[in-house]
Amino acid sequence: MPAKIKVANPNRCINCYSCMLACSRTNANSVSLIDSAIDVRTSGGIESGIGIIVCRSCIDPPCARACPTGALTPRNGGGVVLDKDLCDSCRVCADACLPRAIHFDRADMPVICIHCGVCAKFCSHDVLEIRKTEVM
Amino acid sequence: MWSNVLYIDLETAEHHIRDRSDLFEKYLGGTGVATQLLLEECPAGIDALSPGNPIIFSIGPLTTIFPCVSKVVSMFKSPMTGEMGESHAGGRLAMAMRFAGYDSIVIKGRASKPTYLSIHDDEVKLKDATSIWNLSSIEVTGKILREVEPGKGRRSIMRIGKAGVNQVKYANVNVDTYRHFGRLGLGAVFGSKNLKAIVISGTEEVELPDMPAYKKMYSKLYGEVVDTEVMDKYHDLGTAANINVLNQLKGLPTKNLKQSHFENAESISGEYFADNLLLRKIACSNCPIGCIHIAMLKTPFQKGHEFEVSHISYDYELIYSLGTNLGITMGEDVLRLIDRCEQHGLDIMSTGGVLAWATEMYERDLITPPDTLGISLRWGDTDNYLKMIDRIVEMPNKFYQALAKGTALAATEYGGEDFAINLGRLEIAGYHTGPASIVGQIVGVRHSHLDNGGYSIDQKASSQPLSEEQMVDKLIYEDYWRMINNSLVCCLFARGVYSEQNMVDALECVGIKKTRDELEAIGRKIFLAKYEFKKREGFDVDKVFVPARFFETVSQLGMLQKNTIEKMLKLYRKKTGI
């Protein structure tokens, strides 16, 4: 059964970035923030709010609809799958995603969440949850 | 693998990067490399507030790579002690340096006008700071820089307040609002260089030689941090838990160490803060614990439910120095004092020590209202202490100028040396636990209780008696091994996780193969290099003045004798070869 990542308790976040480091370590084999599909950042300093952006796993994803090359296609259970060979880094997908869950890495490729749940596994404060979804 | 040193000259506005693998291979990083850079860059005998004093920042080979390896070492000649200045800070700085690609940063010279540094990946710029130079709030300075600088959401912002601008000798550097380079006066060195702030961010990614081995080791260490009890005390009440503990044990310096217990401890205890004032906890980057305890202080200022709200970070040492040490009886009042020091950018442990000494001087009529400009000093009088803090920063007369130099120097001008509670010219940490605490702070390379954890050795001795020699051996073991912790640079709160073996294994994951014995030898070498600097600048263990008060107030281990301290110092010298 496919799974999807959910920001279940955003106000519990302590801003440690362990989830982002886990995502890049696991999915990009790097130690980095920019290779992470989950995006945590403060707004107005650490004394203000912490924003956590993840792929919303849309069933009819606007990013895939906007993709002119067919590099992004809907994923079973929500979200999208990326075919890097078809991507020409036009960034239309990033603009189509309202929560801005798509950003680009140093190789100018979109970083796409695969909903593997490793970020939730390395969250010590239960901010993130992995949830099962129905196969369409 | 990582050995980039960014050199910045504030006078010529030039910068360049040098590969210093010669240093990183021998000394790992962090404190080991910074000490060598200090020996290279700091001319002997220089005035700490002159342009020639360098400011050095260093991270280590495990920074951001493993959990809780989250600290940055700063190094400089200290305006407070006139010898080694070293201070560590967390926040986001370590991660920002890692991803900007700089393992060390060396800042030299003095800018011709108020300046801040903007460092984003390869872009290094000196920018005009004239309009924010005299801002009275650390918080507002951060807000202004956030609006104009890139790297939103994950950058690090260091800045000084008015205390640094006016060169109060124990001015700190605020890091990301809630963390600091405190104690030894880095803020004053910033001020002397016309340097108001540094903003740093980066987008680099790091690859490691053996990713599967690295992932396995990461999970192991993460598990030890999160799933074992090793770091519990930092997580729950935080370090503030120590107030009630040390109070019961008679190890809690109170009212300028006239007492080692405080009758009103309950209402300023970690439990009181957690139950009544704690708002939330946050973390340094790459630490899943989140020990930064933030309190909310809500103060009514007008009729009609008008409130002023401040968010203030607290820890044990702050509650001791501005709480028990000043006889403050309510947590809310401690927060008001902490907040005032924070906005000025004053080191809180030293400010508390200075105020406690001044209060006793006033009590004994050794200083009078003309000195204090009419402020009556009384234990527990928060409003008057707030006024004093403002005046220390403004330095309107000779007396406040003396207070801005710290307790030790103020006492040489005004007397009261026997109750000027300092060791090595630095106000003490909040432990009157026994001889190991005193000896540890005297010999510690930065006169910090964290150099060797002397207080913890005293506490062990209270349950199982230790001889003087056993205590000294334990101090030396900690002195050497913490050099390795501080070269990696992991948070000392995670020292229980970073055991000898875990450090060996973690280093191997980044391609550094060292045995346990090799690491210990490096630790000793770094320690001796620091003493080379300290001695060069005139520090002599035998000449450290120990105020009589330490022997007049009962400690956790009972009344202390001067000759115990002397004997332990002699042993320490002999065994370390310093």
Side-chain angles (χ1 to χ4, degrees):
Chain A
M1 196 181 283
K4 66 173 189 176
I5 194 70
K6 165 83 184 158
V7 185
N9 304 298
N11 293 336
R12 296 185 189 175
C13 181
I14 58 168
N15 197 222
C16 72
Y17 301 114
S18 296
C19 55
M20 292 184 73
L21 293 167
C23 180
S24 352
R25 189 167 67 241
T26 308
N27 297 311
N29 280 311
S30 74
V31 180
S32 82
L33 294 178
I34 63 160
D35 291 341
S36 165
I38 178 168
D39 187 350
V40 180
R41 60 179 72 221
T42 53
S43 175
I46 202 159
E47 62 263 42
S48 304
I50 302 166
I52 307 161
I53 302 165
V54 296
C55 169
R56 299 281 304 134
S57 55
C58 308
I59 297 299
D60 176 21
C63 55
R65 263 187 273 140
C67 177
T69 65
L72 290 178
T73 47
R75 167 183 171 267
N76 199 349
V80 286
V81 177
L82 169 69
D83 182 341
K84 282 191 178 181
D85 292 337
L86 295 178
C87 177
D88 65 0
S89 309
C90 71
R91 295 177 183 249
V92 170
C93 56
D95 290 338
C97 176
L98 187 59
R100 295 290 183 264
I102 299 179
H103 63 272
F104 283 70
D105 65 17
R106 285 170 82 89
D108 216 17
M109 277 289 133
V111 180
I112 300 295
C113 177
I114 61 167
H115 298 273
C116 68
V118 72
C119 50
K121 197 178 147 201
F122 283 93
C123 175
S124 57
H125 283 66
D126 303 321
V127 175
L128 304 165
E129 272 174 20
I130 189 82
R131 290 183 182 168
K132 301 274 183 267
T133 60
E134 293 302 316
V135 184
M136 301 304 286
Chain B
M1 186 151 56
W2 303 296
S3 46
N4 282 338
V5 181
L6 171 65
Y7 290 84
I8 300 168
D9 190 328
L10 294 174
E11 206 158 311
T12 60
E14 283 169 352
H15 72 274
H16 64 278
I17 298 163
R18 269 178 75 191
D19 172 30
R20 295 304 306 269
S21 41
D22 57 324
L23 296 182
F24 281 86
E25 276 166 20
K26 268 197 214 159
Y27 301 101
L28 301 169
T31 203
V33 167
T35 302
Q36 296 301 316
L37 290 169
L38 184 70
L39 282 162
E40 283 178 13
E41 300 291 342
C42 183
I46 199 172
D47 176 350
L49 297 175
S50 69
N53 190 13
I55 295 172
I56 296 153
F57 298 107
S58 269
I59 57 171
L62 304 185
T63 296
T64 309
I65 293 177
F66 285 111
C68 303
V69 189
S70 52
K71 293 267 190 165
V72 178
V73 170
S74 69
M75 221 172 268
F76 49 96
K77 179 170 174 174
S78 165
M80 189 71 180
T81 64
E83 35 120 350
M84 170 143 272
E86 176 177 355
S87 179
H88 304 176
R92 294 163 163 181
L93 181 58
M95 182 180 269
M97 279 179 71
R98 163 63 74 224
F99 291 139
Y102 303 115
D103 303 283
S104 298
I105 300 173
V106 176
I107 300 165
K108 295 192 282 190
R110 172 187 284 157
S112 57
K113 57 177 187 325
T115 295
Y116 77 94
L117 274 168
S118 162
I119 304 172
H120 303 284
D121 287 316
D122 297 339
E123 204 176 277
V124 179
K125 284 185 182 160
L126 271 71
K127 296 186 178 175
D128 190 287
T130 308
S131 47
I132 57 170
W133 184 245
N134 283 310
L135 269 178
S136 56
S137 153
I138 283 277
E139 208 173 328
V140 173
T141 305
K143 280 190 175 131
I144 289 171
L145 289 171
R146 259 176 231 127
E147 288 299 314
V148 295
E149 283 292 312
K152 189 175 182 302
R154 288 175 211 138
R155 64 199 156 192
S156 180
I157 305 180
M158 291 179 251
R159 65 265 194 186
I160 57 169
K162 274 203 121 162
V165 165
N166 293 348
Q167 299 178 28
V168 174
K169 283 182 190 286
Y170 43 95
N172 69 22
V173 173
N174 180 289
V175 180
D176 303 326
T177 310
Y178 297 128
R179 301 289 89 184
H180 319 79
F181 288 114
R183 310 286 10 236
L184 288 159
L186 182 61
V189 181
F190 265 54
S192 75
K193 293 185 171 317
N194 270 330
L195 181 59
K196 177 73 177 176
I198 304 177
V199 187
I200 180 161
S201 76
T203 55
E204 283 210 1
E205 51 193 10
V206 174
E207 278 168 26
L208 296 171
D210 183 349
M211 281 308 284
Y214 163 58
K215 289 176 192 174
K216 213 174 138 195
M217 188 66 195
Y218 188 101
S219 294
K220 177 180 185 243
L221 291 174
Y222 184 90
E224 286 183 31
V225 169
V226 171
D227 299 328
T228 69
E229 289 162 12
V230 181
M231 293 184 73
D232 267 2
K233 83 169 186 196
Y234 301 109
H235 185 219
D236 181 356
L237 297 178
T239 54
N242 273 338
I243 293 282
N244 274 343
V245 174
L246 282 159
N247 190 42
Q248 273 184 355
L249 298 170
K250 291 202 163 43
L252 179 64
T254 299
K255 296 180 186 168
N256 203 37
L257 197 55
K258 290 208 285 189
Q259 301 167 206
S260 52
H261 71 281
F262 186 39
E263 52 282 9
N264 298 102
E266 196 52 52
S267 53
I268 61 168
S269 65
E271 288 80 355
Y272 180 87
F273 271 81
D275 290 341
N276 300 288
L277 299 164
L278 179 62
L279 172 68
R280 63 174 182 148
K281 293 178 224 170
I282 52 172
C284 296
S285 297
N286 188 31
C287 170
I289 292 294
C291 81
I292 306 174
H293 286 59
I294 309 287
M296 184 177 82
L297 181 65
K298 191 174 157 189
T299 318
F301 66 92
Q302 261 179 23
K303 279 183 192 166
H305 296 92
E306 296 288 352
F307 295 104
E308 188 181 351
V309 176
S310 315
H311 295 179
I312 303 157
S313 71
Y314 66 88
D315 260 301
Y316 168 69
E317 300 294 348
L318 314 190
I319 303 175
Y320 134 70
S321 46
L322 292 176
T324 66
N325 212 19
L326 300 180
I328 304 293
T329 56
M330 283 308 293
E332 287 80 354
D333 285 330
V334 176
L335 285 176
R336 288 166 68 202
L337 292 164
I338 292 176
D339 194 38
R340 188 65 59 92
C341 290
E342 285 280 39
Q343 296 312 324
H344 287 314
L346 277 171
D347 178 77
I348 287 176
M349 289 162 75
S350 285
T351 306
V354 164
L355 292 175
W357 169 80
T359 307
E360 189 166 344
M361 289 291 283
Y362 195 88
E363 242 179 12
R364 293 169 178 245
D365 292 327
L366 294 170
I367 53 167
T368 54
D371 295 312
T372 63
L373 298 175
I375 300 174
S376 317
L377 283 169
R378 284 181 301 263
W379 304 114
D381 188 339
T382 306
D383 288 335
N384 278 347
Y385 285 131
L386 288 169
K387 287 182 200 155
M388 289 286 286
I389 292 168
D390 291 342
R391 294 205 182 17
I392 288 173
V393 173
E394 291 153 10
M395 295 181 257
N397 69 0
K398 192 170 153 279
F399 177 66
Y400 286 103
Q401 283 163 20
L403 292 188
K405 294 177 193 163
T407 310
L409 287 180
T412 59
E413 289 177 39
Y414 285 85
E417 278 109 326
D418 280 336
F419 53 88
I421 308 303
N422 76 96
L423 292 169
R425 275 167 62 174
L426 190 65
E427 289 72 17
I428 64 160
Y431 302 91
H432 189 47
T433 47
S437 171
I438 296 173
V439 173
Q441 288 177 83
I442 292 172
V443 297
V445 288
R446 50 193 171 123
H447 305 298
S448 163
H449 62 298
L450 288 171
D451 283 326
N452 42 40
Y455 61 96
S456 151
I457 296 169
D458 287 329
Q459 284 167 344
K460 282 185 192 106
S462 72
S463 52
Q464 189 188 0
L466 295 171
S467 70
E468 285 147 2
E469 183 163 6
Q470 284 170 319
M471 284 190 169
V472 169
D473 286 342
K474 283 184 186 296
L475 284 172
I476 294 172
Y477 173 88
E478 294 294 331
D479 273 318
Y480 292 171
W481 273 100
R482 290 187 188 204
M483 292 298 156
I484 302 302
N485 287 124
N486 295 340
S487 294
L488 298 182
V489 182
C490 67
C491 176
L492 285 173
F493 290 175
R495 61 188 181 273
V497 173
Y498 285 86
S499 60
E500 293 173 8
Q501 192 56 47
N502 278 346
M503 287 199 275
V504 169
D505 294 344
L507 281 168
E508 194 171 344
C509 291
V510 299
I512 298 173
K513 288 195 171 69
K514 301 276 183 208
T515 63
R516 181 229 170 257
D517 291 350
E518 283 169 335
L519 285 182
E520 188 169 41
I522 294 172
R524 176 163 190 269
K525 220 160 127 186
I526 297 168
F527 172 82
L528 291 176
K530 285 177 196 283
Y531 258 90
E532 185 189 326
F533 181 85
K534 287 166 76 74
K535 283 191 202 165
R536 194 190 83 180
E537 300 304 319
F539 178 71
D540 182 346
V541 164
D542 288 342
K543 289 193 182 134
V544 172
F545 177 71
V546 184
R549 178 62 49 82
F550 284 101
F551 310 109
E552 295 163 353
T553 300
V554 68
S555 80
Q556 186 184 341
L557 292 179
M559 293 305 283
L560 303 175
Q561 303 300 323
K562 202 170 179 184
N563 64 7
T564 310
I565 305 297
E566 283 163 0
K567 247 165 98 180
M568 284 173 70
L569 285 172
K570 211 171 155 188
L571 272 167
Y572 188 93
R573 277 195 89 134
K574 201 173 131 198
K575 283 172 183 266
T576 53
I578 56 167

